[in-house]
Amino acid sequence: MIIYLDQHAVEVPGGITVAAALAYAGSSASRRSCTGQHRAPFCGMGVCQECRMQIDGQRRLACQTLCRPGMQVERSG
Amino acid sequence: MTTQAIVIGAGIVGAACAAALAQRGAKVLVLDDGRGGATGAGMGHLVAMDDNPAELALTHYSLGLWQGLRAQLPERCAYRGCGTLWLAADEQEMALAMGKQALLAEQGVASEALGTQRLAQLEPMLRAGLAGALKVPGDAIVYAPAAAAWLLQQAAGVTLRPATVQAVQGRQVTLQGGERLAADIVVLANGFGAKALLPALALRPKKGHLLITDRYPGRVSHQLVELGYAASAHHSEGTSVAFNVQARPTGQLLVGSSRQFDTLETRVEPAVLARMLARAVAYLPALAGLNAIRAWTGFRAATPDGLPMLGEHPEQPGLWLALGHEGLGVTTAPGSAQLLCALMFGNAPLIDARPYAPGRFAEGQAA
Amino acid sequence: MNDWVDHCDLLIVGAGPAGLSAAQAAAEAGVAAVVLDDNPRPGGQVWRHGPGFAPPRPARPLLSTLARPPLRYLPGTRIVDAPEPGVLLVEDEQRGWLLRYRQLILCCGARELLLPFPGWTLPGVTGVGALQALVKGGMPLRGERVVVAGSGPLLLASAATARQAGATVVGMFEQAPLSQVRRFALNLWRWPGKAAQAAALARRGYRPGAWVVEALGTDALQAVRVQTNGRVRTLVCDRLACAFGLVANTELASMLGCQLSAGTVAVGAGQRTSVEGVYAAGECTGVGGNELARVEGRIAGLTATGRHAEAAALAGRHRRWQAFARQLQASFELNPAIAQLARPDTLLCRCEDVSVAEVAGHTGWAQAKLHTRCGMGACQGRVCGTAARALFGWGPGNPRAPLVPARVATLGVYGTGGTGDD
């Protein structure tokens, strides 16, 4: 299926999480920290908030969100 | 000879008093129980409030002092001269805004009336159709715990000691564990905590809730307050909420406010929080979809007339009070400290001190 | 029922082994239970599954109970607040609402103990169970070089998952000394199904008494420095999975007023907590593996549905797996050196980027928070607060609403939903 990461179309297998999908876009980074460091999914289970992203307009955890066709995902600040 | 002073409370008011005393050459011991008070819990707004002439005089005086500190404040104090927008929902409130503008102008506080469109341009997250706003560009925000810590650090001759005060009598202070301290001047600046030391004080706790969102930079630029805020702030019974949002330098939105009397229950009350948020969403509809990450409560120390008590205790010479700042402790801390010091050292204060005299609430006693 | 309020007799929080076992017991009794979980798929951490990773055999019958009415399963649902006794405020992707219950079984599980070391914030560094979870969620790992480090048997499971996904595990480093790991392995025969773990512990490449002292890289992980027998060497890798065991998730229990004991939810007979009508089972009551969690979940489910004799009959099995839990905890006790890995400039708080040095000068968690912003970010101190407890011995504050980041609209539900004062 196709999802959009920062407005770029990315082809990903069905049934995977948004956290997993990041790797298909070439970089596993999910956000920049408040001092500008790249961060990627870390705890994998909805605790650390490192993978929080804008997903279809809401700030959600990439590791606990399954990809849906056409989903809009943005790395948050 | 060096004046020896003890300041009880290391919140923003205590810190400002300690710094002002040190400036006058005093050696200052600051005692704090580490439990945290309104300084850590509050919003940290620096705002000109005009509900009565004395309130406006003290806030305006203090804002000038904050302006003077601005260049020295380190970044962690998060000072931002964001200004306040007093929001008018309809024409009736717009008339209130114009009245407010006139009052502020009398004290030399600049403000600007904004119409519907201009307001929408400045703050597009606000709901459409508000009548307008009064912009007070001189207002600001600060991170008060950092500002208090900085005030203590930068002053020469100030020592901070973690200690719980058990009793105060004039110039004598007794600590938990029995240790006794004495000084030429004792300043009580520990907010509602003072009530435990001097039960007769005319102080009541006014509980408030606050909530902060995750980081959403660039959504709001000014401090936003509904014009009805003053009405809420001056309720003396029951629970009231009013819309008040700040854009913190982190990009987080800090959402207030609520006021409840005579409870010391620290719990976040879901019903009060919900009411406060409903009010906020009525002004900022898109706030509903943003993530909140933390909510907390705090207690403002309120006097019957809403003005602080600044001056010597009427029955205990040497004991000075800097208490009862309600929701304006951060704004008025520097002015309160300067006024108090002027009285202590026999100088003429720059604003009339009488409205804040601790003895005003009763005949013959400070209660 | 209106849109804002939902009711159930029995609410089970968590769809891992404990929650599913409790749900099965409820289903047998015909009780209309609701199972709520914040993940999009059931199974919790240990039975997590996804594309290419089928659920393990013992999980299948339990997972299938979720589809059987009158049981209702609410995936992707988070608990935001406990506004009054018998009511939880919850939200999913769409909406927030109030969930009323008569009885509650907490099966909130555990999270990993994630401790700071230089480089731990680099992309490519994850927890140990975290790597497993991400891979089972579909993260490709083929051809990557993986280092697994930290503490506990989870290292083995995570390495196995990585291999299954096509990665090469270039090192497995257990901080506990060889003597303790060997003793643990020699005792494993006492518990059914654990012998295979003993074999894995003896596997080549599994190094006890060793730990990662630093992760290296600029924008992403490139190598790790590992200390073994006092010597440090550098190992090139694409991923590091590192965690130091598990920590019980007690936030909700604590908010409900349940007594805690040694960082876990305290339970008595029948898995009862100190709060009437609230039970707790599985790792939130103490870390002990999925077998213990299943027994406890079943006991809680049986007790909540009034089948006390059946619950009592499980006492022997329960005790046996409790003994395993004790063995586990004693064997993988944390070496004090692990708490010293962070350098002064290492970040403690990953949300607010606050260094260990900034925090270290403060007298307690509340002061550190107020003056450094440590713990004020979106994880609400779940990572840095837990680390600060390990590093400085500071206790965290009481959990408040919102229990997890939640939409403002959800927190507004209480006033509008027919509950509350207006």
Side-chain angles (χ1 to χ4, degrees):
Chain A
M1 70 173 81
I2 301 284
I3 66 162
Y4 296 89
L5 179 64
D6 293 331
Q7 273 122 53
H8 296 289
V10 183
E11 170 91 48
V12 301
I16 73 170
T17 63
V18 175
L22 295 175
Y24 287 88
S27 156
S28 64
S30 47
R31 70 176 192 109
R32 281 213 189 234
S33 78
C34 59
T35 61
Q37 301 177 359
H38 288 287
R39 295 289 169 77
F42 177 59
C43 82
M45 48 187 80
V47 175
C48 76
Q49 307 281 324
E50 288 283 24
C51 72
R52 66 196 195 278
M53 308 182 82
Q54 286 299 120
I55 299 177
D56 285 343
Q58 280 182 13
R59 191 156 299 175
R60 301 212 303 252
L61 296 180
C63 75
Q64 290 187 317
T65 306
L66 299 180
C67 290
R68 276 191 294 257
M71 190 176 244
Q72 299 281 343
V73 180
E74 287 166 57
R75 295 187 164 98
S76 46
Chain B
M1 208 184 77
T2 309
T3 304
Q4 305 284 330
I6 292 173
V7 175
I8 300 166
I12 193 75
V13 174
C17 288
L21 281 161
Q23 224 174 28
R24 284 166 177 77
K27 212 165 159 293
V28 189
L29 176 66
V30 179
L31 304 173
D32 192 89
D33 63 9
R35 282 194 297 182
T39 298
M43 292 184 88
H45 48 210
L46 308 179
V47 53
M49 290 288 282
D50 57 6
D51 300 308
N52 56 63
E55 187 184 62
L56 182 54
L58 186 60
T59 54
H60 180 48
Y61 174 39
S62 297
L63 288 172
L65 295 169
W66 275 113
Q67 284 282 355
L69 289 173
R70 182 178 182 170
Q72 303 161 56
L73 286 174
E75 174 52 29
R76 66 175 184 278
C77 296
Y79 184 102
R80 293 291 185 279
C82 58
T84 300
L85 299 184
W86 290 92
L87 304 172
D90 49 30
E91 288 311 319
Q92 211 176 338
E93 287 195 354
M94 202 58 210
L96 285 177
M98 301 318 287
K100 187 178 187 72
Q101 184 173 35
L103 273 174
L104 292 174
E106 276 174 35
Q107 280 279 343
V109 179
S111 65
E112 182 193 347
L114 307 174
T116 300
Q117 281 186 345
R118 183 87 184 98
L119 177 60
Q121 279 165 2
L122 283 180
E123 295 291 356
M125 196 177 164
L126 283 168
R127 85 168 144 86
L130 292 171
L134 186 70
K135 178 177 172 173
V136 184
D139 287 356
I141 57 172
V142 74
Y143 184 57
W150 175 80
L151 281 168
L152 293 175
Q153 281 157 14
Q154 55 83 46
V158 174
T159 310
L160 173 62
R161 176 174 166 189
T164 302
V165 174
Q166 196 169 55
V168 177
Q169 179 62 49
R171 297 181 173 86
Q172 314 278 328
V173 174
T174 309
L175 303 184
Q176 208 169 60
E179 187 182 344
R180 283 161 190 267
L181 304 170
D184 305 312
I185 289 168
V186 174
V187 181
L188 202 50
N190 57 340
F192 189 73
K195 185 91 173 170
L197 299 173
L198 299 176
L201 286 175
L203 289 178
R204 288 167 80 190
K206 247 194 216 183
K207 181 176 178 177
H209 285 73
L210 287 174
L211 173 135
I212 197 157
T213 68
D214 198 354
R215 292 169 184 249
Y216 296 93
R219 306 280 180 110
V220 172
S221 312
H222 300 79
Q223 161 153 251
L224 304 175
V225 193
E226 66 168 300
L227 269 158
Y229 177 84
S232 163
H234 290 273
H235 271 294
S236 58
E237 299 302 331
T239 300
S240 65
V241 299
F243 170 64
N244 185 352
V245 158
Q246 287 178 359
R248 301 303 302 180
T250 54
Q252 294 173 283
L253 298 181
L254 176 55
V255 185
S257 63
S258 73
R259 280 175 161 77
Q260 288 165 272
F261 272 101
D262 299 328
T263 168
L264 282 171
E265 166 62 65
T266 57
R267 207 170 92 90
V268 170
E269 293 169 57
V272 178
L273 186 66
R275 232 180 103 182
M276 182 180 96
L277 294 177
R279 190 81 192 156
V281 168
Y283 281 87
L284 292 173
L287 180 67
L290 305 188
N291 279 359
I293 64 169
R294 202 165 65 251
W296 65 96
T297 64
F299 298 92
R300 310 167 182 95
T303 63
D305 61 7
L307 292 172
M309 294 185 239
L310 303 171
E312 196 165 22
H313 191 288
E315 293 156 358
Q316 298 192 34
L319 177 61
W320 295 77
L321 307 182
L323 296 167
H325 291 75
E326 215 272 349
L328 287 170
V330 181
T331 300
T332 62
S336 299
Q338 290 302 330
L339 187 141
L340 204 63
C341 278
L343 297 174
M344 287 170 182
F345 291 90
N347 308 324
L350 291 182
I351 60 170
D352 184 0
R354 285 170 301 182
Y356 323 106
R360 69 188 183 275
F361 296 115
E363 292 155 325
Q365 57 175 24
Chain C
M1 178 187 120
N2 67 35
D3 279 356
W4 302 107
V5 191
D6 190 1
H7 300 260
C8 65
D9 286 335
L10 177 63
L11 177 59
I12 298 165
V13 179
L20 291 174
S21 301
Q24 191 183 46
E28 290 161 6
V31 169
V34 167
V35 179
L36 176 156
D37 193 281
D38 60 350
N39 288 289
R41 294 195 181 100
Q45 304 312 330
V46 65
W47 289 342
R48 190 183 283 270
H49 51 282
F53 291 90
R57 199 172 302 271
R60 289 174 204 166
L62 289 170
L63 288 167
S64 67
T65 47
L66 289 178
R68 230 175 287 143
L71 199 132
R72 282 189 293 149
Y73 166 52
L74 306 175
T77 306
R78 294 168 199 283
I79 295 166
V80 176
D81 192 11
E84 58 182 273
V87 182
L88 294 179
L89 175 63
V90 303
E91 75 169 22
D92 63 13
E93 282 183 12
Q94 315 293 328
R95 63 189 193 109
W97 74 99
L98 295 165
L99 194 44
R100 291 187 167 279
Y101 59 84
R102 284 200 313 111
Q103 295 190 96
L104 177 65
I105 303 179
L106 302 174
C107 306
C108 305
R111 59 176 178 266
E112 294 191 270
L113 177 58
L114 302 160
L115 295 176
F117 54 89
W120 77 311
T121 52
L122 285 169
V125 180
T126 64
V128 172
L131 181 69
Q132 244 191 328
L134 290 164
V135 168
K136 290 180 177 177
M139 188 175 77
L141 215 56
R142 186 156 301 282
E144 295 197 24
R145 292 157 297 183
V146 175
V147 169
V148 182
S151 199
L154 199 53
L155 266 58
L156 302 167
S158 184
T161 303
R163 285 193 198 97
Q164 198 185 332
T168 306
V169 177
V170 295
M172 259 196 284
F173 304 103
E174 163 62 55
Q175 59 86 37
L178 176 63
S179 55
Q180 281 182 31
V181 173
R182 190 174 283 159
R183 189 153 25 117
F184 178 72
L186 290 175
N187 273 305
L188 281 177
W189 62 269
R190 290 162 55 197
W191 295 281
K194 291 288 175 188
Q197 213 173 60
L201 286 167
R203 197 183 164 118
R204 266 185 57 214
Y206 179 81
R207 286 298 271 278
W211 53 85
V212 169
V213 295
E214 184 172 14
L216 304 170
T218 44
D219 268 351
L221 180 73
Q222 291 167 330
V224 293
R225 295 176 66 234
V226 183
Q227 177 169 323
T228 326
N229 300 329
R231 283 214 321 274
V232 177
R233 64 190 165 107
T234 302
L235 197 55
V236 173
C237 60
D238 307 297
R239 288 191 181 276
L240 166 64
C242 183
F244 296 92
L246 301 173
V247 183
N249 289 325
T250 58
E251 286 78 8
L252 174 58
S254 178
M255 184 181 248
L256 292 166
C258 301
Q259 229 167 60
L260 304 186
S261 152
T264 64
V265 185
V267 286
Q271 300 297 126
R272 289 179 181 87
T273 71
S274 63
V275 175
E276 178 75 33
V278 180
Y279 306 79
E283 310 245 272
C284 67
T285 67
V287 173
N290 85 79
E291 297 88 351
L292 179 61
R294 272 147 69 188
V295 182
E296 290 182 350
R298 180 151 185 86
I299 292 173
L302 291 170
T303 311
T305 52
R307 289 173 294 159
H308 301 289
E310 278 179 76
L314 291 170
R317 213 163 105 200
H318 190 200
R319 272 198 303 273
R320 180 147 33 105
W321 287 110
Q322 278 177 321
F324 174 73
R326 280 194 297 274
Q327 183 86 38
L328 193 68
Q329 275 149 29
S331 305
F332 295 96
E333 208 177 18
L334 209 59
N335 182 329
I338 300 300
Q340 305 298 322
L341 292 176
R343 289 197 287 250
D345 65 345
T346 304
L347 295 185
L348 176 66
C349 173
R350 306 170 60 109
C351 295
E352 297 294 322
D353 286 4
V354 183
S355 71
V356 169
E358 285 174 84
V359 173
H362 291 276
T363 51
W365 178 241
Q367 286 84 347
K369 248 178 103 167
L370 201 58
H371 291 291
T372 69
R373 300 190 52 79
C374 177
M376 285 210 175
C379 94
Q380 303 170 315
R382 279 184 175 73
V383 177
C384 62
T386 308
R389 185 162 46 192
L391 265 56
F392 308 116
W394 294 340
N398 290 326
R400 288 185 305 246
L403 212 45
V404 293
R407 291 186 299 276
V408 167
T410 299
L411 288 160
V413 162
Y414 191 71
T416 52
T419 308
D421 67 357
D422 61 333

